[in-house]
Amino acid sequence: MWWCLKSALTLIRLNWQILLPAQSWSEKCGTVTNSERTITRQRGFITAKGQAKPDWWAVSQVATKMGFNGFEFEHNAAVFTEFALLNATVKQA
């Protein structure tokens, strides 16, 4: 089984130039939006292993490296706060 996983990771590395340390769904804290646009709070129930990081961290790192401003988040609550502010602005328009 390890060989299959190692082989899959090797293929991923050959096809992509970066490998992001993503958290699994059981480690993530934040929100999930379903197909009916209902937002549900998600809380991780196990501690992240090794160098695993949340998805928002990876996106903000890539955006910052690409030269975009406004991605200086320090925790998931900051991401949600910005989302809520943007959502309120859209509703008023």
Side-chain angles (χ1 to χ4, degrees):
M1 176 151 174
W2 168 244
W3 180 84
C4 292
L5 178 60
K6 186 176 179 184
S7 180
L9 288 174
T10 301
L11 287 173
I12 291 169
R13 288 184 183 132
L14 290 175
N15 292 320
W16 298 93
Q17 298 299 314
I18 58 172
L19 185 62
L20 302 173
Q23 291 178 341
S24 70
W25 65 271
S26 59
E27 299 168 327
K28 295 180 182 182
C29 292
T31 60
V32 176
T33 306
N34 68 14
S35 61
E36 297 173 345
R37 298 182 185 170
T38 302
I39 299 172
T40 306
R41 174 79 190 265
Q42 176 180 338
R43 297 173 194 247
F45 57 90
I46 62 173
T47 305
K49 306 286 189 281
Q51 297 177 344
K53 304 284 186 189
D55 295 341
W56 64 262
W57 176 87
V59 171
S60 67
Q61 292 295 304
V62 171
T64 302
K65 299 288 185 206
M66 291 176 68
F68 292 100
N69 295 322
F71 289 89
E72 297 80 21
F73 302 111
E74 295 195 21
H75 45 77
N76 58 356
V79 176
F80 185 77
T81 300
E82 178 158 332
F83 170 76
L85 291 171
L86 290 170
N87 212 13
T89 304
V90 171
K91 275 190 168 182
Q92 290 176 1

